[in-house]
Amino acid sequence: MNTTSCLVVALALAAPLSAGCGPQYVRGADNPGIDQPAMSTGLDKDDIQRSLHKLLDQMRAAPIMDEWRIKAGQNDRQTVAIAPFLNETSEHIDPQLDAMLSETETWLVNSSIVRVISSERQGDMIRQVEGAQHPVFDPRHIPQYGKQLGVKYYITGKVGSSDERTDDARRVQYFIFMQVIDTETSEIRWQQKTYITKAVL
Amino acid sequence: MATEDVHHQSRALGAALFALGALALQGCASHSEHMEPVRSALDMGDPHGAISLLDKEMDVPTPADLPKDMGSDNALFVLDRGSIQQSIAAFDASKHDYEAADKAIDMLDLAHDAKDTIGTYVFSGSSGKYQAPPYEKLMVNTLDMVNYLEQKDLNGARVEARRLAVMQKYVHDDLGESDNAVLGLGGFLAGFTFEQSDQVDEALRWYDQALPFTGFNSLTGPVRALLPKGQYRSPRLKQLESADAPPPPAQDDGQGDLVFVVGYGRVPHKIAHRIPIGLALTMMSGALAPGDVAAANRIAAQGLVTWINYPTLGPERGGYTVPACMLDGHYVQLEEAVNVTDQVRVEWKKIEGKIILSAITRMISRFAIGSVAGAVTGQKNGLVGLLVSLGAQATLTALDTPDTRSWETLPARVAIARVRVPAGKHTVHIDARGVRRDVTVDVDKGGWSVVSLMALR
């Protein structure tokens, strides 16, 4: 076989290989492992599930839940609203925090022991309390929100972080807190925390 | 028969080397050459055209899309698109681009290793991963903060302020830079963000960092008014506190605050430069090893490939512009908060010697590779050896693309002003380098608003 023929054969063999090398769309149901790798220092589905698993498991066994169960048994289901989690981190994770909020709301609705006020309704109420120019949830105004919405309890939370950068690494440690606040007294009736660390090494 | 074979071989080899050289010349346009049409579009006052050109360069269908590969050049193109989006007041699009580029550039910076350094000394100036200079790292978060403040999104602005703090600490602790003037502007905006978020001590900490830089006279009154509400004190803040009585809070006066941020011109971009080896050797004689000087002199004496390619800084645009800002028909005094061009030049001076040195080292490496290739192929025929040697050197010279990568659409200067206005509607007109922005802002009692203009012509 001469040089030209060798080259043609090599190219023919290489063509299908190179065709399969580009990025491809894949389905999570077909490849469950795609949720596993960390792709940034932000929060992902895995982080949200892990942290909510811990927080909601603790909440299930908390005295405040027992109180709500007793009230529900007396046909007096308490009214609860879920407020946005405050992002006090160095990452733009607000969409992920909104997802955490929705997951918590779903869990609470399905528990059937409290009446949950829709978060959409809260938007109007926040606008009324904070003004149209800056309609952002402010935890200091929880009693006012409670009064406006007729809500007895607020479930809220905040996420802080410690973000450090060196020459060859960046590490973000998240501290996630969730709490139940009595809107009449501003008393914290339950609080729990969980940690997540993400890094580029 | 043997002579015929050698002729065939040398012709084939020559043709192959020529083709390789031509291919290399075609495929090795530097970053600033790719950016030239974008700069021209901006010069002609066509930012939308500049965005389309960047999209084409990144091979993305719309300005909302990011390239699949956010590697070196693409990360910079996205950063440039973010600046231009900000200049046309497309703040959401600008945020999207800045934040994607911020992460990509950080990843490139973290991934930079010894291989990249070796590559720049042996192969090509632009062969390594892009390492953003400190002022670029600080400006990404500073300018993105402007996007959030424009949209009154304090939550987003605080995230950018915290990101700036992380980078500032890194620049201070690891890179040993504590006096980067970009920190003045960053401190001013971050301080304002935390002040409006009612986080007084955090605001005072940031303002304390801005005050030592020139261009923040309008800040002394607001900081003085803030001091009684917070606990944080530094010697500078204590001095300010003892100087005079605080002005009444804006809310008590039925007033609000208006902040103007005006960026204008463009920083000097890098351009490819060629100088004769003799001149380079004279410039860098003190920094080269004696063996390398001897090798370079031999190449110079050979008179063959005697130019070195390296990047240098081009001129800035619009540095002497005087931007104008009018509030309800009256001029507002703007102060120059940061001269970004100065930062570019200072940073360039720090690395220029190393860059010329690496260009000379590359030339010596090329000569060595050419000599080895020539010696191997020219064992039987001296002419073939010479051709191969020259071909290898010429090809490697063509492949040696000077590293002209930089954030080219950074404003050359940024000016600011902070004024107190009665609550209500106000008309604002900002004008710089023929780029205008007219807006009407509604300021609540005790409220605030930020209006910016980035005139990147």
Side-chain angles (χ1 to χ4, degrees), chain A residues 23 41-42 87-92 94 133-134 140 163-170 200, chain B residues 99 103 106-107 109-110 148 152 154-156 159-160 162-163 166-167 170 174 198 442 444:
Chain A
T41 49
N87 178 10
E88 293 180 359
T89 74
S90 54
E91 297 279 340
H92 292 285
D94 296 76
Q133 278 225 334
H134 188 54
R140 291 171 303 182
D163 187 342
E164 289 173 290
R165 169 76 151 82
T166 62
D167 249 351
D168 53 5
R170 183 164 193 152
V200 186
Chain B
E99 282 152 32
K103 295 236 165 187
D106 207 25
M107 279 298 278
D109 205 42
L110 290 166
Y148 283 100
K152 290 182 178 285
L154 286 172
N155 191 32
V159 171
E160 284 306 317
R162 289 186 203 109
R163 292 186 73 78
V166 174
M167 202 44 79
Y170 167 65
D174 290 56
D198 289 331
D442 196 356
D444 278 347

mmCIF file of all heavy atoms in Angstrom, chain A residues 23 41-42 87-92 94 133-134 140 163-170 200, chain B residues 99 103 106-107 109-110 148 152 154-156 159-160 162-163 166-167 170 174 198 442 444:
data_model
loop_
_atom_site.group_PDB
_atom_site.id
_atom_site.type_symbol
_atom_site.label_atom_id
_atom_site.label_comp_id
_atom_site.label_asym_id
_atom_site.label_seq_id
_atom_site.Cartn_x
_atom_site.Cartn_y
_atom_site.Cartn_z
ATOM 1 N N PRO A 23 -20.060 18.262 21.555
ATOM 2 C CA PRO A 23 -21.003 18.175 22.664
ATOM 3 C C PRO A 23 -22.355 17.652 22.197
ATOM 4 O O PRO A 23 -22.746 17.875 21.056
ATOM 5 C CB PRO A 23 -21.112 19.630 23.146
ATOM 6 C CG PRO A 23 -20.536 20.462 22.088
ATOM 7 C CD PRO A 23 -19.689 19.614 21.204
ATOM 8 N N THR A 41 -19.355 27.159 41.351
ATOM 9 C CA THR A 41 -19.362 27.333 42.808
ATOM 10 C C THR A 41 -20.740 27.781 43.299
ATOM 11 O O THR A 41 -20.910 28.054 44.483
ATOM 12 C CB THR A 41 -18.287 28.354 43.246
ATOM 13 O OG1 THR A 41 -18.417 29.514 42.436
ATOM 14 C CG2 THR A 41 -16.891 27.786 43.143
ATOM 15 N N GLY A 42 -21.711 27.864 42.395
ATOM 16 C CA GLY A 42 -23.082 28.190 42.794
ATOM 17 C C GLY A 42 -23.778 26.959 43.370
ATOM 18 O O GLY A 42 -23.151 25.913 43.555
ATOM 19 N N ASN A 87 -30.340 36.318 50.243
ATOM 20 C CA ASN A 87 -29.045 35.920 49.690
ATOM 21 C C ASN A 87 -27.973 36.870 50.221
ATOM 22 O O ASN A 87 -27.861 38.000 49.777
ATOM 23 C CB ASN A 87 -29.114 35.970 48.163
ATOM 24 C CG ASN A 87 -27.790 35.626 47.516
ATOM 25 O OD1 ASN A 87 -26.865 35.182 48.188
ATOM 26 N ND2 ASN A 87 -27.702 35.828 46.213
ATOM 27 N N GLU A 88 -27.202 36.392 51.165
ATOM 28 C CA GLU A 88 -26.106 37.213 51.699
ATOM 29 C C GLU A 88 -24.767 36.602 51.298
ATOM 30 O O GLU A 88 -23.814 36.592 52.063
ATOM 31 C CB GLU A 88 -26.236 37.321 53.220
ATOM 32 C CG GLU A 88 -27.463 38.118 53.613
ATOM 33 C CD GLU A 88 -27.645 38.251 55.114
ATOM 34 O OE1 GLU A 88 -26.827 37.716 55.878
ATOM 35 O OE2 GLU A 88 -28.624 38.907 55.512
ATOM 36 N N THR A 89 -24.728 36.063 50.087
ATOM 37 C CA THR A 89 -23.511 35.396 49.615
ATOM 38 C C THR A 89 -22.837 36.227 48.515
ATOM 39 O O THR A 89 -23.336 37.288 48.138
ATOM 40 C CB THR A 89 -23.840 34.013 49.026
ATOM 41 O OG1 THR A 89 -24.473 34.216 47.745
ATOM 42 C CG2 THR A 89 -24.767 33.219 49.904
ATOM 43 N N SER A 90 -21.760 35.694 48.008
ATOM 44 C CA SER A 90 -21.065 36.346 46.893
ATOM 45 C C SER A 90 -21.410 35.673 45.566
ATOM 46 O O SER A 90 -20.675 35.788 44.598
ATOM 47 C CB SER A 90 -19.555 36.284 47.127
ATOM 48 O OG SER A 90 -19.188 34.938 47.335
ATOM 49 N N GLU A 91 -22.518 34.938 45.537
ATOM 50 C CA GLU A 91 -22.940 34.264 44.301
ATOM 51 C C GLU A 91 -24.376 34.667 43.976
ATOM 52 O O GLU A 91 -25.186 34.843 44.892
ATOM 53 C CB GLU A 91 -22.884 32.740 44.471
ATOM 54 C CG GLU A 91 -21.494 32.185 44.722
ATOM 55 C CD GLU A 91 -20.675 32.012 43.455
ATOM 56 O OE1 GLU A 91 -21.279 31.959 42.362
ATOM 57 O OE2 GLU A 91 -19.442 31.931 43.560
ATOM 58 N N HIS A 92 -24.663 34.782 42.694
ATOM 59 C CA HIS A 92 -26.033 35.102 42.272
ATOM 60 C C HIS A 92 -26.858 33.810 42.290
ATOM 61 O O HIS A 92 -27.050 33.172 41.249
ATOM 62 C CB HIS A 92 -26.021 35.719 40.871
ATOM 63 C CG HIS A 92 -25.399 37.076 40.843
ATOM 64 N ND1 HIS A 92 -26.036 38.193 41.311
ATOM 65 C CD2 HIS A 92 -24.182 37.485 40.436
ATOM 66 C CE1 HIS A 92 -25.251 39.243 41.177
ATOM 67 N NE2 HIS A 92 -24.109 38.839 40.655
ATOM 68 N N ASP A 94 -30.047 33.539 43.591
ATOM 69 C CA ASP A 94 -31.461 33.797 43.897
ATOM 70 C C ASP A 94 -32.430 32.822 43.210
ATOM 71 O O ASP A 94 -33.388 32.384 43.848
ATOM 72 C CB ASP A 94 -31.814 35.248 43.565
ATOM 73 C CG ASP A 94 -31.030 36.189 44.462
ATOM 74 O OD1 ASP A 94 -29.827 36.367 44.199
ATOM 75 O OD2 ASP A 94 -31.584 36.690 45.442
ATOM 76 N N GLN A 133 -41.299 51.622 44.667
ATOM 77 C CA GLN A 133 -39.925 51.874 44.200
ATOM 78 C C GLN A 133 -38.940 50.790 44.635
ATOM 79 O O GLN A 133 -37.945 50.540 43.971
ATOM 80 C CB GLN A 133 -39.445 53.228 44.736
ATOM 81 C CG GLN A 133 -39.923 54.389 43.908
ATOM 82 C CD GLN A 133 -38.814 55.382 43.644
ATOM 83 O OE1 GLN A 133 -37.871 55.501 44.400
ATOM 84 N NE2 GLN A 133 -38.925 56.113 42.555
ATOM 85 N N HIS A 134 -39.215 50.165 45.773
ATOM 86 C CA HIS A 134 -38.268 49.175 46.282
ATOM 87 C C HIS A 134 -39.038 47.998 46.897
ATOM 88 O O HIS A 134 -38.991 47.769 48.100
ATOM 89 C CB HIS A 134 -37.368 49.856 47.327
ATOM 90 C CG HIS A 134 -36.236 48.997 47.772
ATOM 91 N ND1 HIS A 134 -35.354 48.423 46.892
ATOM 92 C CD2 HIS A 134 -35.848 48.612 49.005
ATOM 93 C CE1 HIS A 134 -34.472 47.721 47.573
ATOM 94 N NE2 HIS A 134 -34.753 47.813 48.858
ATOM 95 N N ARG A 140 -37.333 42.640 58.617
ATOM 96 C CA ARG A 140 -37.645 43.504 59.765
ATOM 97 C C ARG A 140 -39.122 43.903 59.766
ATOM 98 O O ARG A 140 -39.649 44.361 60.769
ATOM 99 C CB ARG A 140 -36.766 44.767 59.717
ATOM 100 C CG ARG A 140 -35.294 44.470 59.992
ATOM 101 C CD ARG A 140 -34.443 45.670 59.729
ATOM 102 N NE ARG A 140 -34.607 46.150 58.353
ATOM 103 C CZ ARG A 140 -33.931 47.186 57.842
ATOM 104 N NH1 ARG A 140 -33.077 47.846 58.588
ATOM 105 N NH2 ARG A 140 -34.111 47.553 56.593
ATOM 106 N N ASP A 163 -16.306 33.276 51.134
ATOM 107 C CA ASP A 163 -15.747 33.067 49.792
ATOM 108 C C ASP A 163 -14.271 33.457 49.823
ATOM 109 O O ASP A 163 -13.933 34.585 50.180
ATOM 110 C CB ASP A 163 -16.527 33.960 48.808
ATOM 111 C CG ASP A 163 -16.146 33.710 47.352
ATOM 112 O OD1 ASP A 163 -15.085 33.120 47.098
ATOM 113 O OD2 ASP A 163 -16.925 34.131 46.472
ATOM 114 N N GLU A 164 -13.416 32.511 49.489
ATOM 115 C CA GLU A 164 -11.976 32.809 49.515
ATOM 116 C C GLU A 164 -11.322 32.422 48.198
ATOM 117 O O GLU A 164 -11.685 31.434 47.568
ATOM 118 C CB GLU A 164 -11.313 32.065 50.671
ATOM 119 C CG GLU A 164 -11.703 32.652 52.017
ATOM 120 C CD GLU A 164 -11.187 31.837 53.172
ATOM 121 O OE1 GLU A 164 -11.702 30.726 53.368
ATOM 122 O OE2 GLU A 164 -10.280 32.304 53.854
ATOM 123 N N ARG A 165 -10.334 33.225 47.840
ATOM 124 C CA ARG A 165 -9.638 33.025 46.562
ATOM 125 C C ARG A 165 -8.139 33.045 46.817
ATOM 126 O O ARG A 165 -7.634 33.910 47.538
ATOM 127 C CB ARG A 165 -10.042 34.175 45.633
ATOM 128 C CG ARG A 165 -9.261 34.333 44.340
ATOM 129 C CD ARG A 165 -9.693 33.293 43.335
ATOM 130 N NE ARG A 165 -9.528 33.746 41.964
ATOM 131 C CZ ARG A 165 -8.372 33.710 41.295
ATOM 132 N NH1 ARG A 165 -7.281 33.276 41.858
ATOM 133 N NH2 ARG A 165 -8.335 34.122 40.031
ATOM 134 N N THR A 166 -7.435 32.061 46.280
ATOM 135 C CA THR A 166 -5.970 32.105 46.307
ATOM 136 C C THR A 166 -5.487 32.025 44.864
ATOM 137 O O THR A 166 -6.307 32.035 43.945
ATOM 138 C CB THR A 166 -5.390 30.922 47.101
ATOM 139 O OG1 THR A 166 -5.782 29.715 46.447
ATOM 140 C CG2 THR A 166 -5.871 30.907 48.544
ATOM 141 N N ASP A 167 -4.189 31.875 44.694
ATOM 142 C CA ASP A 167 -3.634 31.812 43.335
ATOM 143 C C ASP A 167 -4.206 30.663 42.514
ATOM 144 O O ASP A 167 -4.384 30.791 41.307
ATOM 145 C CB ASP A 167 -2.108 31.647 43.417
ATOM 146 C CG ASP A 167 -1.404 32.887 42.932
ATOM 147 O OD1 ASP A 167 -2.100 33.764 42.396
ATOM 148 O OD2 ASP A 167 -0.177 32.981 43.094
ATOM 149 N N ASP A 168 -4.456 29.532 43.172
ATOM 150 C CA ASP A 168 -4.878 28.360 42.400
ATOM 151 C C ASP A 168 -6.176 27.728 42.898
ATOM 152 O O ASP A 168 -6.471 26.589 42.542
ATOM 153 C CB ASP A 168 -3.754 27.312 42.375
ATOM 154 C CG ASP A 168 -3.270 26.982 43.777
ATOM 155 O OD1 ASP A 168 -3.884 27.495 44.725
ATOM 156 O OD2 ASP A 168 -2.297 26.224 43.913
ATOM 157 N N ALA A 169 -6.934 28.427 43.705
ATOM 158 C CA ALA A 169 -8.201 27.843 44.176
ATOM 159 C C ALA A 169 -9.204 28.922 44.566
ATOM 160 O O ALA A 169 -8.821 30.038 44.930
ATOM 161 C CB ALA A 169 -7.945 26.935 45.382
ATOM 162 N N ARG A 170 -10.480 28.564 44.454
ATOM 163 C CA ARG A 170 -11.541 29.422 44.961
ATOM 164 C C ARG A 170 -12.526 28.524 45.701
ATOM 165 O O ARG A 170 -12.936 27.491 45.162
ATOM 166 C CB ARG A 170 -12.247 30.163 43.826
ATOM 167 C CG ARG A 170 -13.316 31.123 44.358
ATOM 168 C CD ARG A 170 -13.754 32.120 43.323
ATOM 169 N NE ARG A 170 -14.526 33.182 43.950
ATOM 170 C CZ ARG A 170 -14.601 34.413 43.493
ATOM 171 N NH1 ARG A 170 -13.946 34.770 42.425
ATOM 172 N NH2 ARG A 170 -15.334 35.326 44.111
ATOM 173 N N VAL A 200 -13.367 25.458 43.396
ATOM 174 C CA VAL A 200 -12.606 25.195 42.161
ATOM 175 C C VAL A 200 -11.183 24.966 42.634
ATOM 176 O O VAL A 200 -10.576 25.856 43.237
ATOM 177 C CB VAL A 200 -12.604 26.411 41.207
ATOM 178 C CG1 VAL A 200 -11.941 26.044 39.894
ATOM 179 C CG2 VAL A 200 -13.985 26.949 40.975
ATOM 180 N N GLU B 99 -21.446 38.419 34.152
ATOM 181 C CA GLU B 99 -21.379 37.347 35.143
ATOM 182 C C GLU B 99 -20.823 36.060 34.533
ATOM 183 O O GLU B 99 -20.053 35.346 35.182
ATOM 184 C CB GLU B 99 -22.758 37.129 35.780
ATOM 185 C CG GLU B 99 -23.014 38.220 36.815
ATOM 186 C CD GLU B 99 -24.467 38.552 37.035
ATOM 187 O OE1 GLU B 99 -25.310 37.660 36.914
ATOM 188 O OE2 GLU B 99 -24.761 39.737 37.336
ATOM 189 N N LYS B 103 -16.925 34.531 35.694
ATOM 190 C CA LYS B 103 -16.644 33.142 36.097
ATOM 191 C C LYS B 103 -15.627 32.503 35.150
ATOM 192 O O LYS B 103 -14.724 31.807 35.587
ATOM 193 C CB LYS B 103 -17.932 32.320 36.097
ATOM 194 C CG LYS B 103 -18.922 32.785 37.140
ATOM 195 C CD LYS B 103 -19.316 31.683 38.067
ATOM 196 C CE LYS B 103 -20.008 32.254 39.291
ATOM 197 N NZ LYS B 103 -20.292 31.287 40.304
ATOM 198 N N ASP B 106 -12.166 33.872 35.721
ATOM 199 C CA ASP B 106 -11.644 33.354 36.983
ATOM 200 C C ASP B 106 -11.163 31.912 36.797
ATOM 201 O O ASP B 106 -10.099 31.535 37.298
ATOM 202 C CB ASP B 106 -12.753 33.417 38.052
ATOM 203 C CG ASP B 106 -12.185 33.531 39.453
ATOM 204 O OD1 ASP B 106 -11.056 34.031 39.587
ATOM 205 O OD2 ASP B 106 -12.861 33.125 40.410
ATOM 206 N N MET B 107 -11.930 31.120 36.054
ATOM 207 C CA MET B 107 -11.542 29.725 35.799
ATOM 208 C C MET B 107 -10.238 29.664 35.014
ATOM 209 O O MET B 107 -9.355 28.858 35.304
ATOM 210 C CB MET B 107 -12.638 28.992 35.005
ATOM 211 C CG MET B 107 -13.791 28.504 35.830
ATOM 212 S SD MET B 107 -13.326 27.299 37.072
ATOM 213 C CE MET B 107 -13.274 25.808 36.088
ATOM 214 N N ASP B 109 -7.938 31.883 34.927
ATOM 215 C CA ASP B 109 -6.879 32.351 35.816
ATOM 216 C C ASP B 109 -6.436 31.228 36.759
ATOM 217 O O ASP B 109 -5.244 31.020 36.986
ATOM 218 C CB ASP B 109 -7.428 33.530 36.635
ATOM 219 C CG ASP B 109 -6.332 34.435 37.109
ATOM 220 O OD1 ASP B 109 -5.422 34.712 36.314
ATOM 221 O OD2 ASP B 109 -6.369 34.850 38.276
ATOM 222 N N LEU B 110 -7.416 30.491 37.287
ATOM 223 C CA LEU B 110 -7.099 29.397 38.213
ATOM 224 C C LEU B 110 -6.433 28.232 37.482
ATOM 225 O O LEU B 110 -5.640 27.505 38.072
ATOM 226 C CB LEU B 110 -8.377 28.903 38.903
ATOM 227 C CG LEU B 110 -9.004 29.861 39.914
ATOM 228 C CD1 LEU B 110 -10.406 29.427 40.278
ATOM 229 C CD2 LEU B 110 -8.155 29.948 41.170
ATOM 230 N N TYR B 148 -26.813 46.652 38.423
ATOM 231 C CA TYR B 148 -27.827 46.366 39.444
ATOM 232 C C TYR B 148 -28.357 47.649 40.071
ATOM 233 O O TYR B 148 -29.550 47.771 40.336
ATOM 234 C CB TYR B 148 -27.248 45.446 40.520
ATOM 235 C CG TYR B 148 -27.172 44.004 40.065
ATOM 236 C CD1 TYR B 148 -25.982 43.454 39.616
ATOM 237 C CD2 TYR B 148 -28.306 43.196 40.059
ATOM 238 C CE1 TYR B 148 -25.909 42.140 39.187
ATOM 239 C CE2 TYR B 148 -28.248 41.885 39.623
ATOM 240 C CZ TYR B 148 -27.047 41.358 39.192
ATOM 241 O OH TYR B 148 -26.997 40.060 38.753
ATOM 242 N N LYS B 152 -32.105 49.418 40.503
ATOM 243 C CA LYS B 152 -32.521 49.482 41.918
ATOM 244 C C LYS B 152 -32.557 48.108 42.573
ATOM 245 O O LYS B 152 -33.369 47.854 43.467
ATOM 246 C CB LYS B 152 -33.893 50.153 42.054
ATOM 247 C CG LYS B 152 -33.855 51.643 41.740
ATOM 248 C CD LYS B 152 -35.225 52.242 41.950
ATOM 249 C CE LYS B 152 -35.208 53.722 41.697
ATOM 250 N NZ LYS B 152 -34.601 54.493 42.745
ATOM 251 N N LEU B 154 -30.824 46.147 44.932
ATOM 252 C CA LEU B 154 -29.768 46.185 45.952
ATOM 253 C C LEU B 154 -29.242 44.791 46.276
ATOM 254 O O LEU B 154 -28.077 44.622 46.597
ATOM 255 C CB LEU B 154 -30.298 46.847 47.221
ATOM 256 C CG LEU B 154 -30.458 48.368 47.142
ATOM 257 C CD1 LEU B 154 -31.184 48.889 48.377
ATOM 258 C CD2 LEU B 154 -29.109 49.063 47.010
ATOM 259 N N ASN B 155 -30.112 43.796 46.183
ATOM 260 C CA ASN B 155 -29.701 42.427 46.469
ATOM 261 C C ASN B 155 -28.583 41.993 45.510
ATOM 262 O O ASN B 155 -27.536 41.497 45.931
ATOM 263 C CB ASN B 155 -30.932 41.517 46.336
ATOM 264 C CG ASN B 155 -30.662 40.132 46.858
ATOM 265 O OD1 ASN B 155 -29.877 39.963 47.799
ATOM 266 N ND2 ASN B 155 -31.292 39.146 46.260
ATOM 267 N N GLY B 156 -28.800 42.227 44.220
ATOM 268 C CA GLY B 156 -27.787 41.884 43.213
ATOM 269 C C GLY B 156 -26.529 42.718 43.366
ATOM 270 O O GLY B 156 -25.416 42.215 43.213
ATOM 271 N N VAL B 159 -24.385 41.352 46.075
ATOM 272 C CA VAL B 159 -23.638 40.159 45.651
ATOM 273 C C VAL B 159 -22.368 40.591 44.906
ATOM 274 O O VAL B 159 -21.273 40.092 45.169
ATOM 275 C CB VAL B 159 -24.516 39.233 44.765
ATOM 276 C CG1 VAL B 159 -23.685 38.125 44.146
ATOM 277 C CG2 VAL B 159 -25.657 38.632 45.575
ATOM 278 N N GLU B 160 -22.519 41.564 44.004
ATOM 279 C CA GLU B 160 -21.350 42.030 43.252
ATOM 280 C C GLU B 160 -20.334 42.705 44.181
ATOM 281 O O GLU B 160 -19.126 42.571 43.997
ATOM 282 C CB GLU B 160 -21.774 42.983 42.130
ATOM 283 C CG GLU B 160 -22.387 42.287 40.931
ATOM 284 C CD GLU B 160 -21.520 41.183 40.331
ATOM 285 O OE1 GLU B 160 -20.300 41.384 40.195
ATOM 286 O OE2 GLU B 160 -22.062 40.108 40.008
ATOM 287 N N ARG B 162 -19.819 41.931 47.281
ATOM 288 C CA ARG B 162 -19.118 40.860 48.012
ATOM 289 C C ARG B 162 -18.104 40.180 47.109
ATOM 290 O O ARG B 162 -17.013 39.820 47.549
ATOM 291 C CB ARG B 162 -20.129 39.831 48.540
ATOM 292 C CG ARG B 162 -20.971 40.373 49.668
ATOM 293 C CD ARG B 162 -21.865 39.289 50.262
ATOM 294 N NE ARG B 162 -22.994 39.910 50.925
ATOM 295 C CZ ARG B 162 -24.248 39.882 50.478
ATOM 296 N NH1 ARG B 162 -24.545 39.234 49.369
ATOM 297 N NH2 ARG B 162 -25.195 40.495 51.136
ATOM 298 N N ARG B 163 -18.452 39.999 45.843
ATOM 299 C CA ARG B 163 -17.494 39.404 44.898
ATOM 300 C C ARG B 163 -16.279 40.321 44.741
ATOM 301 O O ARG B 163 -15.148 39.869 44.658
ATOM 302 C CB ARG B 163 -18.143 39.169 43.520
ATOM 303 C CG ARG B 163 -19.208 38.108 43.524
ATOM 304 C CD ARG B 163 -19.723 37.800 42.133
ATOM 305 N NE ARG B 163 -18.761 37.048 41.336
ATOM 306 C CZ ARG B 163 -18.546 35.747 41.470
ATOM 307 N NH1 ARG B 163 -19.222 35.055 42.345
ATOM 308 N NH2 ARG B 163 -17.655 35.131 40.717
ATOM 309 N N VAL B 166 -13.979 39.831 47.666
ATOM 310 C CA VAL B 166 -13.157 38.610 47.561
ATOM 311 C C VAL B 166 -11.952 38.881 46.651
ATOM 312 O O VAL B 166 -10.806 38.566 46.975
ATOM 313 C CB VAL B 166 -13.999 37.428 47.001
ATOM 314 C CG1 VAL B 166 -13.127 36.211 46.740
ATOM 315 C CG2 VAL B 166 -15.132 37.083 47.950
ATOM 316 N N MET B 167 -12.231 39.518 45.518
ATOM 317 C CA MET B 167 -11.160 39.790 44.557
ATOM 318 C C MET B 167 -10.188 40.831 45.102
ATOM 319 O O MET B 167 -8.968 40.726 44.917
ATOM 320 C CB MET B 167 -11.790 40.250 43.235
ATOM 321 C CG MET B 167 -10.904 40.073 42.033
ATOM 322 S SD MET B 167 -10.047 38.491 41.974
ATOM 323 C CE MET B 167 -11.318 37.412 41.371
ATOM 324 N N TYR B 170 -7.857 39.164 47.429
ATOM 325 C CA TYR B 170 -6.880 38.370 46.672
ATOM 326 C C TYR B 170 -5.817 39.277 46.054
ATOM 327 O O TYR B 170 -4.614 39.001 46.137
ATOM 328 C CB TYR B 170 -7.621 37.569 45.586
ATOM 329 C CG TYR B 170 -6.711 36.957 44.557
ATOM 330 C CD1 TYR B 170 -5.799 35.967 44.911
ATOM 331 C CD2 TYR B 170 -6.748 37.378 43.228
ATOM 332 C CE1 TYR B 170 -4.961 35.416 43.962
ATOM 333 C CE2 TYR B 170 -5.915 36.822 42.282
ATOM 334 C CZ TYR B 170 -5.014 35.841 42.651
ATOM 335 O OH TYR B 170 -4.173 35.307 41.718
ATOM 336 N N ASP B 174 -2.464 38.323 47.774
ATOM 337 C CA ASP B 174 -1.663 37.435 46.927
ATOM 338 C C ASP B 174 -0.885 38.180 45.846
ATOM 339 O O ASP B 174 0.194 37.738 45.457
ATOM 340 C CB ASP B 174 -2.548 36.363 46.267
ATOM 341 C CG ASP B 174 -3.058 35.352 47.273
ATOM 342 O OD1 ASP B 174 -3.697 35.787 48.251
ATOM 343 O OD2 ASP B 174 -2.813 34.148 47.101
ATOM 344 N N ASP B 198 -29.314 49.825 54.343
ATOM 345 C CA ASP B 198 -29.329 50.027 55.803
ATOM 346 C C ASP B 198 -28.300 49.172 56.524
ATOM 347 O O ASP B 198 -28.502 48.774 57.660
ATOM 348 C CB ASP B 198 -30.728 49.772 56.391
ATOM 349 C CG ASP B 198 -31.697 50.873 56.011
ATOM 350 O OD1 ASP B 198 -31.238 52.008 55.816
ATOM 351 O OD2 ASP B 198 -32.892 50.573 55.881
ATOM 352 N N ASP B 442 -37.497 59.159 39.178
ATOM 353 C CA ASP B 442 -38.434 59.498 40.244
ATOM 354 C C ASP B 442 -37.773 59.116 41.566
ATOM 355 O O ASP B 442 -37.519 57.935 41.821
ATOM 356 C CB ASP B 442 -39.733 58.703 40.029
ATOM 357 C CG ASP B 442 -40.875 59.276 40.848
ATOM 358 O OD1 ASP B 442 -40.626 60.224 41.626
ATOM 359 O OD2 ASP B 442 -42.002 58.764 40.728
ATOM 360 N N ASP B 444 -37.874 58.985 45.612
ATOM 361 C CA ASP B 444 -38.746 59.061 46.803
ATOM 362 C C ASP B 444 -38.078 59.888 47.899
ATOM 363 O O ASP B 444 -36.873 60.110 47.861
ATOM 364 C CB ASP B 444 -38.951 57.646 47.369
ATOM 365 C CG ASP B 444 -40.042 56.908 46.626
ATOM 366 O OD1 ASP B 444 -40.774 57.571 45.873
ATOM 367 O OD2 ASP B 444 -40.137 55.679 46.801
#
